[in-house]
Amino acid sequence: MDKQILIDLVTKTMPYGKYKGRLLCDIPEHYLVWMHGQGFPEGKLGMWLHTLYEIRLNGLEGILVELRRTYSKIY
C-alpha cells in the first residue's frame, strides 16, 4: 500500500454531504458501509473511502492513529 494514501486519510476532508469538512478518517463506519452498498465515488475520493472501509472492516484503525498524531501537527 502506498503510504501517501494513509497520510491522505488523516489529512484530507470530506468535500461534500453530511460529513463535509470532517477528516476522512473521522467518517463514521455506518456511512462507509452505506457508501459501499451504493458504490464509492470515482477518483481519489472513492479510492480513499474504499481504503478506509477496508481498514475498518479488518479492524486496522490503529495504523491511522500514529499517522494522525504525526501529520495533524504538520497540517
Side-chain angles (χ1 to χ4, degrees):
M1 174 175 285
D2 182 0
K3 184 179 178 181
Q4 185 59 49
I5 295 170
L6 298 175
I7 294 168
D8 291 342
L9 290 177
V10 299
T11 59
K12 304 291 184 190
T13 59
M14 186 68 177
Y16 59 81
K18 184 176 183 177
Y19 299 106
K20 181 179 180 178
R22 274 202 193 180
L23 286 175
L24 294 175
C25 64
D26 290 339
I27 292 176
E29 185 173 347
H30 68 85
Y31 183 78
L32 296 169
V33 170
W34 174 81
M35 188 162 279
H36 179 261
Q38 298 295 311
F40 292 104
E42 295 291 320
K44 282 187 176 184
L45 179 61
M47 185 251 324
W48 290 329
L49 293 172
H50 187 261
T51 302
L52 186 57
Y53 171 80
E54 291 294 331
I55 287 170
R56 296 259 179 85
L57 182 68
N58 291 292
L60 301 172
E61 295 92 341
I63 65 176
L64 298 176
V65 173
E66 187 61 34
L67 283 173
R68 186 173 183 165
R69 263 190 240 129
T70 301
Y71 287 94
S72 67
K73 296 172 186 171
I74 296 172
Y75 291 92

